[in-house]
Amino acid sequence: MPTDDDIARAAHARRGSPFLNTDQAAAYLRISSRLLKHLRKQGTGPAFRHHSRFIQYHIDDLDAWSEGSGKGPRS
């Protein structure tokens, strides 16, 4: 699970750059990086980009994926 440091790094990254690495993106979504990697391999996770040899997630893509993965209206 994400640590407070991971969440702080994700918050800092959001202010400085809209792109997060896998660990930061997982902390932002409050899921494990292992689950995020699994979702990426299945093709069911948020959109990602290759920047050189690095996988990066854009904040807007994470938000869109999160909003679209809901099960319906909350009561």
Side-chain angles (χ1 to χ4, degrees):
M1 287 319 277
T3 65
D4 289 339
D5 184 52
D6 291 334
I7 294 168
R9 285 179 28 219
H12 175 70
R14 184 176 180 141
R15 287 191 304 268
S17 170
F19 294 100
L20 304 175
N21 65 30
T22 302
D23 291 336
Q24 292 168 330
Y28 181 77
L29 293 171
R30 294 183 171 238
I31 62 175
S32 71
S33 58
R34 183 176 178 181
L35 175 59
L36 185 56
K37 290 175 188 176
H38 178 73
L39 293 171
R40 183 174 66 230
K41 288 180 183 178
Q42 283 188 319
T44 58
F48 64 94
R49 298 168 171 97
H50 281 105
H51 289 184
S52 184
R53 62 184 175 106
F54 301 101
I55 293 175
Q56 299 284 298
Y57 294 87
H58 194 278
I59 291 282
D60 293 341
D61 293 334
L62 296 175
D63 289 339
W65 179 81
S66 179
E67 290 171 13
S69 66
K71 299 293 184 195
R74 292 184 179 174
S75 301

